[in-house]
Coordinates of all heavy atoms in Angstrom, one line a residue:
I16 N -116.9 62.4 -47.8 CA -115.7 62.1 -48.6 C -114.6 61.3 -47.6 O -114.1 60.4 -48.0 CB -114.9 63.2 -49.3 CG1 -115.8 63.7 -50.6 CG2 -113.6 62.9 -49.9 CD1 -115.3 64.9 -51.3
N17 N -114.7 61.9 -46.3 CA -113.8 61.3 -45.4 C -114.1 59.9 -45.1 O -113.5 58.9 -45.1 CB -113.8 62.1 -44.1 CG -112.9 63.3 -44.2 OD1 -111.8 63.3 -44.9 ND2 -113.3 64.4 -43.5
L18 N -115.6 59.7 -44.9 CA -116.0 58.3 -44.6 C -115.8 57.4 -45.7 O -115.3 56.2 -45.6 CB -117.5 58.4 -44.4 CG -118.2 57.1 -43.8 CD1 -117.6 56.4 -42.7 CD2 -119.8 57.3 -43.7
L19 N -116.0 57.9 -47.0 CA -115.9 57.1 -48.3 C -114.4 56.6 -48.3 O -114.2 55.4 -48.6 CB -116.3 57.8 -49.4 CG -116.1 57.1 -50.7 CD1 -117.0 55.9 -50.7 CD2 -116.3 58.0 -51.9
S20 N -113.5 57.5 -47.9 CA -112.2 57.1 -48.1 C -111.7 55.9 -47.1 O -110.6 55.3 -47.2 CB -111.2 58.3 -47.9 OG -111.2 58.8 -46.5
T21 N -112.4 55.9 -46.0 CA -112.2 54.8 -45.0 C -112.6 53.4 -45.4 O -112.4 52.4 -44.9 CB -112.6 55.1 -43.7 OG1 -114.0 55.3 -43.5 CG2 -111.9 56.5 -43.1
K22 N -113.7 53.5 -46.3 CA -114.4 52.2 -46.7 C -113.9 51.6 -48.0 O -114.1 50.4 -48.1 CB -115.9 52.6 -46.8 CG -116.7 53.2 -45.5 CD -116.6 52.2 -44.5 CE -117.4 52.9 -43.3 NZ -117.2 51.9 -42.0
V23 N -113.5 52.4 -48.9 CA -113.1 51.9 -50.2 C -111.7 52.5 -50.7 O -111.3 53.5 -50.2 CB -114.3 52.2 -51.3 CG1 -115.4 51.4 -51.0 CG2 -114.5 53.6 -51.4
D24 N -111.2 52.0 -51.7 CA -110.0 52.5 -52.3 C -110.5 53.7 -53.2 O -110.9 53.4 -54.4 CB -109.2 51.3 -53.1 CG -108.1 51.9 -53.8 OD1 -107.6 53.1 -53.6 OD2 -107.4 51.2 -54.6
I25 N -110.4 54.9 -52.8 CA -110.8 56.1 -53.5 C -109.9 56.3 -54.8 O -110.2 57.0 -55.7 CB -110.9 57.2 -52.6 CG1 -109.6 57.7 -52.0 CG2 -112.0 57.1 -51.7 CD1 -109.7 59.1 -51.5
S26 N -108.8 55.6 -54.9 CA -108.0 55.9 -56.1 C -108.6 55.2 -57.3 O -108.1 55.4 -58.4 CB -106.5 55.3 -56.0 OG -106.6 53.9 -55.7
Q27 N -109.7 54.4 -57.2 CA -110.3 53.7 -58.2 C -111.7 54.3 -58.6 O -112.4 53.8 -59.4 CB -110.5 52.2 -57.7 CG -109.2 51.5 -57.6 CD -108.2 51.6 -58.7 OE1 -108.7 51.2 -59.8 NE2 -107.1 51.9 -58.5
I28 N -112.0 55.5 -57.9 CA -113.2 56.2 -58.0 C -113.2 57.4 -58.6 O -112.4 58.3 -58.4 CB -114.0 56.3 -56.5 CG1 -114.1 55.0 -56.0 CG2 -115.2 57.1 -56.7 CD1 -114.8 55.1 -54.5
E29 N -114.1 57.8 -59.6 CA -114.2 59.1 -60.2 C -115.3 59.9 -59.3 O -116.3 59.4 -59.1 CB -114.7 58.9 -61.6 CG -113.8 58.5 -62.5 CD -114.3 58.6 -64.0 OE1 -115.0 59.5 -64.3 OE2 -113.9 57.8 -64.9
L30 N -114.8 61.1 -59.0 CA -115.7 62.0 -58.1 C -116.2 63.0 -58.9 O -115.5 63.7 -59.5 CB -114.8 62.4 -56.9 CG -115.4 63.4 -55.9 CD1 -116.5 62.6 -55.1 CD2 -114.3 64.0 -55.0
W31 N -117.5 63.3 -58.8 CA -118.2 64.4 -59.4 C -118.7 65.3 -58.2 O -119.4 65.0 -57.4 CB -119.3 63.9 -60.2 CG -118.9 63.1 -61.3 CD1 -118.5 61.8 -61.4 CD2 -119.0 63.6 -62.7 NE1 -118.3 61.4 -62.6 CE2 -118.5 62.4 -63.5 CE3 -119.3 64.8 -63.4 CZ2 -118.2 62.6 -64.8 CZ3 -119.0 64.8 -64.7 CH2 -118.5 63.7 -65.5
L32 N -118.3 66.7 -58.3 CA -118.7 67.7 -57.5 C -119.4 68.8 -58.1 O -119.0 69.2 -59.2 CB -117.5 68.2 -56.8 CG -116.6 67.3 -55.9 CD1 -115.4 68.0 -55.4 CD2 -117.4 66.7 -54.7
N33 N -120.5 69.4 -57.5 CA -121.2 70.5 -58.0 C -121.0 71.6 -57.0 O -121.2 71.3 -55.7 CB -122.6 70.2 -58.2 CG -122.9 69.2 -59.3 OD1 -122.3 69.3 -60.5 ND2 -123.5 68.1 -59.1
T34 N -120.7 72.8 -57.3 CA -120.5 73.9 -56.5 C -121.0 75.2 -57.1 O -120.9 75.4 -58.2 CB -119.0 74.0 -56.0 OG1 -118.9 75.2 -55.0 CG2 -118.1 74.1 -57.2
N35 N -121.3 76.1 -56.3 CA -121.6 77.6 -56.8 C -120.4 78.4 -56.5 O -120.4 79.6 -56.7 CB -122.8 78.2 -56.1 CG -122.6 78.3 -54.5 OD1 -121.6 78.3 -54.0 ND2 -123.7 78.7 -54.0
A36 N -119.2 77.8 -56.0 CA -117.9 78.3 -56.0 C -117.8 79.6 -55.0 O -117.0 80.2 -54.9 CB -117.4 78.8 -57.4
S37 N -118.7 79.5 -54.1 CA -118.8 80.5 -53.1 C -117.9 80.3 -51.9 O -117.6 81.2 -51.0 CB -120.2 81.0 -52.7 OG -120.8 79.8 -52.0
I38 N -117.5 78.8 -51.6 CA -116.7 78.6 -50.6 C -115.6 77.8 -51.1 O -115.7 76.9 -51.8 CB -117.6 77.8 -49.4 CG1 -118.7 78.7 -48.9 CG2 -116.7 77.2 -48.4 CD1 -119.6 77.9 -48.0
I39 N -114.3 78.2 -50.7 CA -113.2 77.4 -51.0 C -113.0 76.3 -50.0 O -112.8 76.7 -48.7 CB -112.0 78.3 -51.2 CG1 -112.2 79.4 -52.3 CG2 -110.7 77.5 -51.4 CD1 -111.0 80.4 -52.4
P40 N -112.8 75.1 -50.5 CA -112.7 74.0 -49.5 C -111.3 74.1 -48.8 O -110.2 74.6 -49.3 CB -112.7 72.7 -50.4 CG -113.5 73.2 -51.5 CD -113.1 74.7 -51.8
K41 N -111.2 73.6 -47.6 CA -109.9 73.6 -46.8 C -108.9 72.9 -47.4 O -109.3 71.8 -48.1 CB -110.2 73.4 -45.4 CG -111.3 74.3 -44.7 CD -111.1 74.2 -43.1 CE -111.9 75.2 -42.6 NZ -112.4 76.4 -43.1
E42 N -107.8 72.9 -47.1 CA -106.6 72.2 -47.7 C -106.7 70.7 -47.6 O -106.3 70.0 -48.4 CB -105.2 72.7 -47.1 CG -104.1 71.9 -47.7 CD -102.7 72.6 -47.2 OE1 -102.6 73.5 -46.5 OE2 -101.7 72.0 -47.5
N43 N -107.2 70.3 -46.3 CA -107.3 68.9 -45.9 C -108.3 68.1 -46.9 O -108.1 66.9 -47.3 CB -107.6 68.6 -44.6 CG -109.0 69.1 -44.0 OD1 -109.4 70.2 -44.7 ND2 -109.4 68.6 -43.1
L44 N -109.4 68.8 -47.3 CA -110.3 68.3 -48.2 C -109.7 68.1 -49.7 O -109.8 67.3 -50.3 CB -111.5 69.2 -48.3 CG -112.7 68.6 -49.3 CD1 -113.1 67.2 -49.0 CD2 -113.9 69.5 -49.2
W45 N -108.9 69.2 -50.1 CA -108.3 69.2 -51.4 C -107.3 68.1 -51.4 O -107.1 67.3 -52.4 CB -107.5 70.4 -51.7 CG -108.5 71.6 -52.2 CD1 -108.6 72.8 -51.6 CD2 -109.3 71.6 -53.3 NE1 -109.6 73.5 -52.2 CE2 -110.0 72.8 -53.3 CE3 -109.6 70.6 -54.3 CZ2 -111.0 73.1 -54.4 CZ3 -110.4 71.0 -55.4 CH2 -111.1 72.2 -55.4
N46 N -106.6 67.8 -50.3 CA -105.6 66.7 -50.3 C -106.2 65.4 -50.5 O -105.8 64.5 -51.0 CB -104.8 66.8 -49.0 CG -103.7 67.9 -48.9 OD1 -103.4 68.3 -49.9 ND2 -103.5 68.3 -47.7
L47 N -107.4 65.2 -49.9 CA -108.2 64.0 -50.0 C -108.7 63.8 -51.4 O -108.8 62.9 -52.1 CB -109.5 64.0 -49.1 CG -110.2 62.8 -48.8 CD1 -109.2 61.6 -48.5 CD2 -111.1 62.8 -47.7
I48 N -109.2 65.0 -52.0 CA -109.9 64.9 -53.3 C -108.7 64.5 -54.4 O -109.1 63.8 -55.3 CB -110.4 66.3 -53.6 CG1 -111.7 66.5 -53.0 CG2 -110.6 66.4 -55.1 CD1 -112.4 67.9 -53.0
K49 N -107.6 64.9 -54.2 CA -106.5 64.7 -55.1 C -106.2 63.2 -55.2 O -105.6 62.7 -56.2 CB -105.2 65.3 -54.7 CG -105.2 66.8 -54.9 CD -103.9 67.4 -54.8 CE -103.4 67.3 -53.4 NZ -102.2 68.1 -53.1
K50 N -106.7 62.3 -54.3 CA -106.5 60.9 -54.2 C -107.4 60.1 -55.1 O -107.1 58.9 -55.4 CB -106.5 60.3 -52.8 CG -105.4 60.8 -51.9 CD -105.5 60.3 -50.4 CE -104.4 61.1 -49.7 NZ -104.4 60.5 -48.2
F51 N -108.5 60.7 -55.6 CA -109.5 60.0 -56.4 C -108.8 59.8 -57.7 O -108.0 60.6 -58.1 CB -110.7 60.8 -56.5 CG -111.6 60.7 -55.4 CD1 -111.3 61.5 -54.2 CD2 -112.7 59.7 -55.3 CE1 -112.3 61.4 -53.2 CE2 -113.6 59.7 -54.2 CZ -113.2 60.6 -53.0
K52 N -109.3 58.8 -58.5 CA -108.9 58.4 -59.8 C -109.1 59.6 -60.7 O -108.1 60.0 -61.5 CB -109.7 57.3 -60.2 CG -109.3 56.7 -61.7 CD -110.1 55.6 -62.1 CE -109.7 55.1 -63.5 NZ -110.5 53.9 -63.9
R53 N -110.2 60.2 -60.7 CA -110.4 61.4 -61.6 C -111.6 62.2 -60.7 O -112.4 61.8 -60.1 CB -111.2 60.9 -62.8 CG -111.3 62.2 -63.8 CD -111.7 61.5 -65.2 NE -110.4 60.9 -65.9 CZ -110.3 59.7 -66.3 NH1 -111.5 58.9 -66.2 NH2 -109.4 59.2 -66.8
V54 N -111.4 63.6 -60.9 CA -112.2 64.5 -60.3 C -112.9 65.5 -61.4 O -112.1 66.0 -62.1 CB -111.5 65.3 -59.1 CG1 -112.6 66.3 -58.5 CG2 -110.9 64.3 -58.2
H55 N -114.1 65.5 -61.3 CA -114.9 66.4 -62.1 C -115.5 67.5 -61.1 O -116.2 67.2 -60.3 CB -115.9 65.9 -62.9 CG -115.5 64.7 -63.8 ND1 -115.1 64.7 -64.9 CD2 -115.4 63.4 -63.3 CE1 -114.6 63.5 -65.3 NE2 -115.0 62.6 -64.3
I56 N -115.4 68.8 -61.5 CA -115.9 69.9 -60.8 C -116.7 70.7 -61.7 O -116.1 71.4 -62.5 CB -114.8 70.8 -59.9 CG1 -114.0 69.8 -59.0 CG2 -115.5 71.9 -59.2 CD1 -112.9 70.4 -58.2
D57 N -117.9 70.7 -61.3 CA -119.0 71.6 -62.0 C -119.2 72.7 -61.3 O -119.6 72.8 -60.1 CB -120.2 70.9 -62.6 CG -119.9 69.7 -63.4 OD1 -119.1 69.9 -64.3 OD2 -120.6 68.7 -63.2
M58 N -119.1 74.0 -61.9 CA -119.3 75.3 -61.2 C -120.6 76.0 -61.7 O -120.6 76.1 -62.9 CB -118.2 76.1 -61.3 CG -117.0 75.8 -60.4 SD -115.6 77.0 -60.5 CE -114.4 75.9 -61.1
S59 N -121.5 76.2 -61.0 CA -122.7 77.0 -61.4 C -122.5 78.5 -60.9 O -122.5 78.7 -59.7 CB -124.0 76.4 -60.7 OG -125.1 77.2 -61.0
I60 N -122.4 79.3 -61.9 CA -122.2 80.8 -61.6 C -123.2 81.5 -62.2 O -123.5 81.4 -63.5 CB -120.8 81.1 -62.1 CG1 -119.6 80.5 -61.3 CG2 -120.6 82.7 -61.9 CD1 -118.3 80.6 -61.8
D61 N -124.1 82.2 -61.5 CA -125.3 82.9 -61.9 C -125.1 84.1 -62.7 O -125.8 84.5 -63.6 CB -126.2 83.2 -60.8 CG -126.4 82.0 -60.0 OD1 -127.0 81.0 -60.4 OD2 -126.3 82.1 -58.6
A62 N -124.0 84.8 -62.5 CA -123.8 86.0 -63.2 C -122.3 86.4 -62.9 O -121.6 85.7 -62.2 CB -124.6 87.2 -62.7
V63 N -121.7 87.4 -63.3 CA -120.5 87.9 -63.1 C -120.4 89.2 -62.4 O -121.2 90.0 -62.6 CB -119.4 88.0 -64.3 CG1 -119.3 86.5 -65.0 CG2 -120.0 89.0 -65.4
G64 N -119.2 89.5 -61.8 CA -119.0 90.8 -61.1 C -120.1 91.2 -60.1 O -120.7 90.4 -59.3
K65 N -120.6 92.5 -60.2 CA -121.5 93.1 -59.2 C -122.8 92.3 -59.3 O -123.7 92.3 -58.5 CB -121.5 94.6 -59.4 CG -122.2 95.0 -60.7 CD -122.3 96.5 -60.8 CE -122.8 97.0 -62.2 NZ -122.9 98.4 -62.3
Y66 N -123.1 91.8 -60.6 CA -124.4 91.2 -60.8 C -124.5 89.8 -60.0 O -125.5 89.5 -59.5 CB -124.7 90.9 -62.3 CG -124.7 92.1 -63.1 CD1 -123.5 92.5 -63.8 CD2 -125.7 93.0 -63.0 CE1 -123.6 93.7 -64.6 CE2 -125.7 94.2 -63.7 CZ -124.8 94.4 -64.5 OH -124.7 95.7 -65.2
H67 N -123.3 89.2 -59.9 CA -123.2 88.0 -59.0 C -123.5 88.3 -57.6 O -124.2 87.6 -57.0 CB -121.8 87.2 -59.2 CG -121.7 86.0 -58.3 ND1 -122.1 84.8 -58.6 CD2 -121.1 86.2 -57.1 CE1 -121.9 84.2 -57.5 NE2 -121.2 84.8 -56.6
E68 N -122.7 89.3 -57.2 CA -122.9 89.6 -55.9 C -124.3 90.1 -55.4 O -124.8 89.9 -54.3 CB -122.0 90.9 -55.5 CG -120.5 90.4 -55.6 CD -119.6 91.6 -55.4 OE1 -119.8 92.8 -55.2 OE2 -118.3 91.2 -55.3
Y69 N -125.1 90.7 -56.5 CA -126.5 91.0 -56.2 C -127.2 89.8 -56.1 O -128.1 89.6 -55.1 CB -127.0 91.9 -57.4 CG -128.4 92.3 -57.3 CD1 -128.9 93.3 -56.4 CD2 -129.3 91.6 -58.0 CE1 -130.2 93.5 -56.3 CE2 -130.7 91.9 -57.8 CZ -131.1 92.9 -57.0 OH -132.5 93.1 -56.9
I70 N -127.1 88.8 -57.1 CA -128.0 87.7 -57.1 C -127.7 86.8 -55.8 O -128.5 86.1 -55.2 CB -127.8 86.9 -58.5 CG1 -128.4 87.6 -59.6 CG2 -128.3 85.5 -58.4 CD1 -128.0 87.2 -61.0
R71 N -126.4 86.6 -55.6 CA -126.0 85.8 -54.4 C -125.4 86.5 -53.4 O -124.3 86.7 -53.1 CB -124.9 84.8 -54.9 CG -125.3 83.8 -55.9 CD -125.1 82.4 -55.3 NE -125.4 81.3 -56.2 CZ -126.1 80.4 -55.9 NH1 -126.3 80.1 -54.6 NH2 -126.3 79.5 -56.8
Y72 N -126.4 87.2 -52.8 CA -126.1 88.2 -51.7 C -125.2 87.7 -50.6 O -125.4 86.6 -50.2 CB -127.3 88.9 -50.9 CG -127.2 89.9 -50.0 CD1 -126.9 91.3 -50.3 CD2 -127.1 89.6 -48.5 CE1 -126.6 92.1 -49.4 CE2 -126.9 90.5 -47.6 CZ -126.7 91.7 -48.0 OH -126.3 92.6 -47.0
G73 N -124.1 88.4 -50.3 CA -123.1 87.9 -49.3 C -121.8 87.3 -49.9 O -120.8 87.2 -49.4
S74 N -122.0 86.8 -51.2 CA -120.9 86.4 -51.9 C -120.1 87.4 -52.6 O -120.7 88.4 -53.0 CB -121.5 85.4 -53.1 OG -120.4 84.9 -53.7
K75 N -118.8 87.2 -52.7 CA -117.8 88.3 -53.2 C -117.3 87.8 -54.5 O -116.8 86.5 -54.5 CB -116.9 88.6 -52.3 CG -117.3 89.2 -51.0 CD -117.8 90.6 -51.2 CE -118.4 91.2 -50.0 NZ -119.5 92.0 -50.1
W76 N -117.5 88.4 -55.6 CA -117.0 88.0 -57.0 C -115.4 87.6 -56.8 O -115.0 86.7 -57.6 CB -117.2 89.0 -58.0 CG -116.7 88.6 -59.3 CD1 -115.8 89.2 -60.1 CD2 -117.2 87.5 -60.0 NE1 -115.5 88.6 -61.2 CE2 -116.6 87.4 -61.3 CE3 -118.2 86.5 -59.9 CZ2 -116.8 86.4 -62.2 CZ3 -118.4 85.5 -60.8 CH2 -117.6 85.5 -62.0
E77 N -114.6 88.4 -56.1 CA -113.2 88.0 -55.9 C -113.1 86.7 -55.3 O -112.1 86.0 -55.8 CB -112.5 89.2 -55.1 CG -112.3 90.4 -55.8 CD -111.7 90.4 -57.1 OE1 -110.6 89.7 -57.2 OE2 -111.9 91.0 -58.1
D78 N -113.9 86.2 -54.4 CA -113.8 84.9 -53.8 C -114.1 83.9 -54.9 O -113.5 82.8 -55.1 CB -114.8 84.8 -52.9 CG -114.5 85.6 -51.5 OD1 -113.2 86.1 -51.4 OD2 -115.4 85.8 -50.7
I79 N -115.0 84.1 -55.9 CA -115.4 83.2 -57.0 C -114.1 83.0 -57.8 O -113.6 82.0 -58.2 CB -116.6 83.7 -57.8 CG1 -117.7 83.9 -56.8 CG2 -116.8 82.7 -59.0 CD1 -118.3 82.6 -56.1
L80 N -113.5 84.3 -58.1 CA -112.3 84.1 -59.0 C -111.2 83.4 -58.4 O -110.4 82.6 -59.1 CB -111.9 85.6 -59.4 CG -112.8 86.4 -60.4 CD1 -112.2 87.8 -60.5 CD2 -113.0 85.6 -61.7
S81 N -111.0 83.5 -57.1 CA -110.0 82.9 -56.3 C -110.3 81.3 -56.3 O -109.4 80.6 -56.5 CB -110.1 83.3 -54.8 OG -109.5 84.6 -54.8
F82 N -111.6 81.0 -56.3 CA -111.9 79.6 -56.2 C -111.5 78.8 -57.7 O -111.0 77.8 -57.7 CB -113.3 79.4 -56.1 CG -113.8 77.9 -56.0 CD1 -113.7 77.1 -54.8 CD2 -114.2 77.3 -57.2 CE1 -114.1 75.8 -54.9 CE2 -114.5 75.9 -57.3 CZ -114.6 75.2 -56.0
I83 N -112.0 79.7 -58.7 CA -111.5 79.3 -60.2 C -110.1 79.2 -60.2 O -109.7 78.1 -60.9 CB -112.3 80.2 -61.1 CG1 -113.8 80.1 -61.0 CG2 -111.7 79.9 -62.5 CD1 -114.5 81.1 -61.8
D84 N -109.2 80.1 -59.8 CA -107.8 79.9 -60.0 C -107.3 78.8 -59.2 O -106.5 78.0 -59.8 CB -107.3 81.3 -59.4 CG -107.4 82.5 -60.3 OD1 -107.8 82.3 -61.4 OD2 -107.2 83.6 -59.8
L85 N -107.8 78.5 -58.0 CA -107.4 77.5 -57.2 C -107.8 76.1 -57.9 O -106.9 75.2 -58.0 CB -108.0 77.5 -55.8 CG -107.6 76.4 -55.0 CD1 -106.1 76.3 -54.6 CD2 -108.4 76.5 -53.6
H86 N -109.1 76.1 -58.5 CA -109.4 74.8 -59.2 C -108.5 74.6 -60.2 O -108.1 73.4 -60.4 CB -110.9 75.1 -59.7 CG -111.3 74.0 -60.6 ND1 -111.5 74.2 -61.9 CD2 -111.6 72.8 -60.3 CE1 -112.0 73.2 -62.4 NE2 -112.0 72.2 -61.5
F87 N -108.1 75.5 -61.2 CA -107.3 75.2 -62.2 C -105.7 74.9 -61.8 O -105.1 74.0 -62.3 CB -107.2 76.4 -63.3 CG -108.5 76.3 -64.1 CD1 -109.4 77.5 -63.9 CD2 -108.8 75.4 -65.0 CE1 -110.6 77.4 -64.7 CE2 -109.9 75.3 -65.7 CZ -110.8 76.4 -65.5
F88 N -105.3 75.5 -60.6 CA -104.0 75.1 -60.2 C -104.0 73.8 -59.6 O -103.2 73.0 -60.0 CB -103.7 76.2 -59.0 CG -102.4 75.8 -58.3 CD1 -101.2 75.8 -58.8 CD2 -102.5 75.0 -57.1 CE1 -100.1 75.3 -58.1 CE2 -101.5 74.5 -56.3 CZ -100.3 74.9 -56.8
L89 N -105.0 73.3 -58.9 CA -105.1 72.0 -58.5 C -105.3 70.9 -59.6 O -104.8 69.8 -59.5 CB -106.3 71.7 -57.4 CG -106.0 72.6 -56.2 CD1 -107.2 72.5 -55.2 CD2 -104.8 71.9 -55.4
L90 N -106.1 71.2 -60.7 CA -106.2 70.4 -61.7 C -104.8 70.1 -62.3 O -104.5 69.1 -62.6 CB -107.1 71.0 -62.8 CG -107.2 70.3 -64.2 CD1 -107.8 69.1 -63.9 CD2 -108.0 71.3 -65.2
L91 N -104.0 71.1 -62.6 CA -102.7 70.9 -63.1 C -101.8 70.1 -62.2 O -101.1 69.2 -62.7 CB -102.0 72.3 -63.4 CG -102.6 73.2 -64.6 CD1 -101.9 74.5 -64.6 CD2 -102.5 72.5 -65.8
L92 N -101.9 70.4 -60.9 CA -101.1 69.6 -59.9 C -101.5 68.1 -59.9 O -100.6 67.4 -60.0 CB -101.4 70.1 -58.5 CG -100.6 69.6 -57.4 CD1 -99.1 69.9 -57.6 CD2 -101.1 70.2 -56.1
C93 N -102.9 67.8 -60.1 CA -103.2 66.4 -60.2 C -102.7 65.8 -61.4 O -102.4 64.7 -61.4 CB -104.8 66.5 -60.2 SG -105.5 66.8 -58.6
L94 N -102.8 66.5 -62.6 CA -102.3 66.0 -63.7 C -100.7 65.7 -63.7 O -100.4 64.7 -64.3 CB -102.5 66.9 -65.0 CG -104.1 67.1 -65.4 CD1 -104.2 68.2 -66.5 CD2 -104.7 65.8 -65.8
I95 N -100.1 66.5 -63.2 CA -98.6 66.3 -63.0 C -98.3 65.1 -61.9 O -97.5 64.3 -62.3 CB -98.0 67.5 -62.4 CG1 -98.0 68.7 -63.3 CG2 -96.5 67.3 -62.0 CD1 -97.7 70.0 -63.0
N96 N -99.1 64.9 -60.9 CA -98.7 63.9 -60.1 C -99.4 62.5 -60.5 O -99.0 61.5 -59.9 CB -99.5 64.2 -58.6 CG -98.8 65.3 -58.0 OD1 -97.6 65.4 -58.1 ND2 -99.5 66.1 -57.2
K97 N -100.1 62.3 -61.6 CA -100.7 61.0 -62.1 C -99.7 60.5 -62.8 O -99.0 60.6 -63.5 CB -101.9 61.4 -62.8 CG -103.1 61.9 -62.0 CD -103.7 60.8 -61.3 CE -105.0 61.3 -60.3 NZ -105.4 60.4 -59.4

């Protein structure tokens, strides 16, 4: 995404991201993502609660919920800023 932003006007590009929501991107990446014309984030979640933690060993369900909360907060922020 960093390289793309140096080559083209990303405010004219729709960005599609796929994630399993196990890692929350750092603030500098979110700041760059907000500059795209439109952002679509698809989350693949295998299960919920302890079942998710079993299937995705090492992942914590609370982290997934934090990612989802952050995603919706940023979505609202992007809508307000457009």
Side-chain angles (χ1 to χ4, degrees):
I16 293 177
N17 284 327
L18 178 60
L19 181 63
S20 70
T21 65
K22 304 291 184 187
V23 297
D24 179 8
I25 61 174
S26 69
Q27 301 302 311
I28 296 175
E29 290 189 31
L30 178 66
W31 292 76
L32 299 172
N33 294 305
T34 179
N35 65 11
S37 61
I38 299 173
I39 297 176
K41 298 200 180 331
E42 184 178 350
N43 61 336
L44 180 58
W45 282 119
N46 289 334
L47 192 55
I48 288 172
K49 291 189 296 187
K50 295 178 182 180
F51 282 84
K52 179 179 182 178
R53 185 170 291 124
V54 178
H55 307 269
I56 300 177
D57 295 323
M58 289 182 235
S59 173
I60 298 174
D61 301 312
V63 297
K65 66 181 181 180
Y66 301 106
H67 172 84
E68 293 176 357
Y69 176 78
I70 292 170
R71 294 243 182 215
Y72 182 78
S74 178
K75 300 293 181 210
W76 181 243
E77 288 300 318
D78 293 341
I79 305 302
L80 293 178
S81 295
F82 182 91
I83 293 169
D84 288 345
L85 178 62
H86 171 253
F87 284 111
F88 170 76
L89 291 171
L90 172 66
L91 291 174
L92 186 61
C93 288
L94 291 174
I95 291 168
N96 288 333
K97 292 282 178 187

